[in-house]
Amino acid sequence: MTTQSQEQARAANGGRDSLTVTDNRTGETFEVEITDGTVRAMDFRQMKVSEDDFGLMTYDPAYTNTASCRSSICYIDGDNGVLEYRGYSIEQLCEQSSYLEVAYLLIFGELPTKAQLDQWVHDVTMHTFVHENVREFLGGFRHDAHPMGMLLGSVGALSTFYPDANNIGDPTTRDIQAVRLIAKMPTLAAFAYRHAMGQPLVYPDNALGYPGNFLSMMYRMTELRYEPDPRLERALDVLFILHADHEQNCSTSAVRSVGSSQVDPYSAIAAGIGALYGPLHGGANEAVLRMLQRIETVDNIPGFLEGVKNGDERLMGFGHRVYKNYDPRARIIRKHLDDVFEVRGKSPLLDIATELEKRAMDDDYFVSRKLYPNVDYYSGLIYEALGLPVSMFPVMFAIPRTSGWIAQWLEMTLDSEQRIARPRQIYTGERVRDYMPVERR
Ligand code: SDX
């Protein structure tokens, strides 16, 4: 809401949204246009102290205040805890949609008709198998290899099985790679888990839905057909919806940056898996479970929080670069915990997590820094209840985020404003030194 004085200032400036910048080094004044709440960094290059001056750059480590692209896929209002995919609220999508329908929405921009959805589900279902050489490739990992490392390697390896995938200018090629990646991610994830467990791999069962097929590949043993519990299938489908996309997060930025070199989408998404692997990003759900296990009892919470406030460690699963309010995804996950516990039994860690959240929410250290539970705080409790080892938790994040990565990769590929990502730097090192032979150093 603009005030009268703001309206007067704007009118005096011909009604244009702009900055008037005076370079005090030269006394020169510049008009810098404001568009969509941003100014173009390149508009500062004209500000020089001499003809051969490179001009001003903007400096923004970790891109905390830099928009890297224009996107219509995911909207977040961090102050009000709002998350929308293509304008649909995450709450409505979790109540009424399915992960595969949400994946279609993210990639194509609109909810599918019945015929489009049926075709999409059929296409994904028909591409769940991986080449037998991939199965052998996975067998080469150590018995205790972290499944995220196996997923990273196997997704990158897929680029060698589909050499036409680097023909990113062809829409038909782009579309089939999108289907393959969404279809094969659960298969590769389950294969990594079964490898770690020393159990025989279970192939996809195309008679099951997307989450049910994943549970079958994870847990089928000697039974002829795995019958997933519908309550677990639904809880998993909701978790997949919640993790599908989240604007320009670290891993999506990695996919866009690597994809900007026009490499194939498998290699770009392998880069996203690498970024998601980190404990500050997708690895946080694994770190939360290990943190709760380490706290062990509710009585240890005050001492633990003191350690966090002393800077000894972070309260994992709390805080967010964008959300300065409760992450809406955490709220939805918290609700679905009971459904999973009804089937699998309640985790003793839930009482610790609930009390830890309550104590942190009452503590000014966290409130003053606007640190609230994020998507990773409760998700691990569901994965633990599903019987997953903690090392599989970030893999559960990568499976659904694949649809968001693909949607963002496609948008970047088709964006005429985008070129190869190549930031600049502030050079702080030595200049022009003569080589010194080793005997004289
Ligand atoms: C995800 O970007 C996305 O959208 C990511 C994601 C997605 O869907 O893709 O939402 C998924 O990655 C969720 C975040 C999961 N990570 C964690 O839960 C790890 C713990 N959280 C943090 O490390 C941290 O909050 C981040 C990384 C999430 C955000 O870090 P920022 O925005 O860079 O904030 P910061 O590190 O600058 O911290 C600001 C202040 C600092 O205190 P001061 O130095 O000012 O005194 O808050 C403190 C930090 O020390 N702080 C924490 C804290 N997070 C920030 N203190 C204790 N515990 C924490 N968790």
Side-chain angles (χ1 to χ4, degrees), residues 73-74 83-85 90 93-94 98-107 182 236-247 249 251-252 276 329 375 383 396-408:
I73 298 170
C74 177
L83 171 57
E84 294 166 359
Y85 293 159
I90 196 68
L93 291 172
C94 285
S98 67
Y99 167 69
L100 280 186
E101 182 176 74
V102 167
Y104 184 101
L105 171 67
L106 289 170
I107 290 170
I182 291 175
L236 207 46
D237 213 32
V238 168
L239 277 168
F240 284 171
I241 292 172
L242 289 167
H243 286 83
D245 194 52
H246 215 241
E247 64 156 69
N249 58 83
S251 56
T252 295
L276 193 67
R329 300 170 296 177
V375 67
Y383 298 142
M396 298 303 289
F397 198 142
I399 294 172
R401 186 51 60 90
T402 300
S403 55
W405 287 332
I406 290 167
Q408 300 274 351

Side-chain angles (χ1 to χ4, degrees), residues 12 45 59 68 72 143 209 222 268-269 338 349 375 393 398 427:
R45 283 283 290 281
Y59 177 53
S68 62
S72 59
H143 69 90
T222 57
I269 283 175
D338 299 337
L349 296 176
V375 67
F393 291 9
Y427 180 64

Side-chain angles (χ1 to χ4, degrees), residues 255-263 409 412 418-421:
V255 170
R256 278 179 170 259
S257 180
V258 169
S260 73
S261 71
Q262 297 189 356
V263 74
W409 172 78
M412 179 274 301
Q418 294 294 336
R419 295 184 290 159
I420 187 166

Side-chain angles (χ1 to χ4, degrees), residues 65-81:
N65 192 42
T66 293
S68 62
C69 63
R70 306 175 80 85
S71 180
S72 59
I73 298 170
C74 177
Y75 174 76
I76 302 174
D77 174 346
D79 292 331
N80 296 302

Side-chain angles (χ1 to χ4, degrees), residues 205-364:
D205 178 347
N206 288 346
L208 295 172
Y210 194 83
N213 176 43
F214 174 68
L215 291 170
S216 169
M217 292 189 288
M218 289 284 293
Y219 297 123
R220 184 158 73 83
M221 296 309 280
T222 57
E223 66 271 38
L224 287 178
R225 164 157 283 173
Y226 181 84
E227 302 290 342
D229 184 302
R231 290 166 296 180
L232 299 185
E233 273 189 290
R234 184 60 193 150
L236 207 46
D237 213 32
V238 168
L239 277 168
F240 284 171
I241 292 172
L242 289 167
H243 286 83
D245 194 52
H246 215 241
E247 64 156 69
Q248 305 312 313
N249 58 83
C250 179
S251 56
T252 295
S253 303
V255 170
R256 278 179 170 259
S257 180
V258 169
S260 73
S261 71
Q262 297 189 356
V263 74
D264 67 271
Y266 300 98
S267 304
I269 283 175
I273 295 172
L276 193 67
Y277 198 172
L280 293 189
H281 190 12
N285 52 22
E286 176 178 356
V288 168
L289 243 289
R290 298 188 195 282
M291 173 187 77
L292 294 173
Q293 289 165 340
R294 202 157 29 86
I295 292 172
E296 209 174 355
T297 70
V298 168
D299 298 340
N300 293 337
I301 290 175
F304 170 78
L305 287 178
E306 279 314 304
V308 171
K309 292 190 280 187
N310 294 336
D312 302 344
E313 61 183 302
R314 289 199 160 191
L315 175 51
M316 300 311 274
F318 263 65
H320 200 276
R321 176 65 55 78
V322 178
Y323 288 123
K324 300 309 172 188
N325 200 319
Y326 211 102
D327 186 330
R329 300 170 296 177
R331 213 186 294 285
I332 295 170
I333 290 173
R334 183 71 182 77
K335 274 193 333 191
H336 278 269
L337 270 174
D338 299 337
D339 300 346
V340 174
F341 288 160
E342 188 183 292
V343 180
R344 305 279 300 185
K346 182 182 164 202
S347 165
L349 296 176
L350 178 63
D351 294 337
I352 298 173
T354 305
E355 183 63 19
L356 182 60
E357 175 193 344
K358 182 175 173 302
R359 300 278 185 101
M361 294 289 85
D362 290 339
D363 189 314
D364 185 56

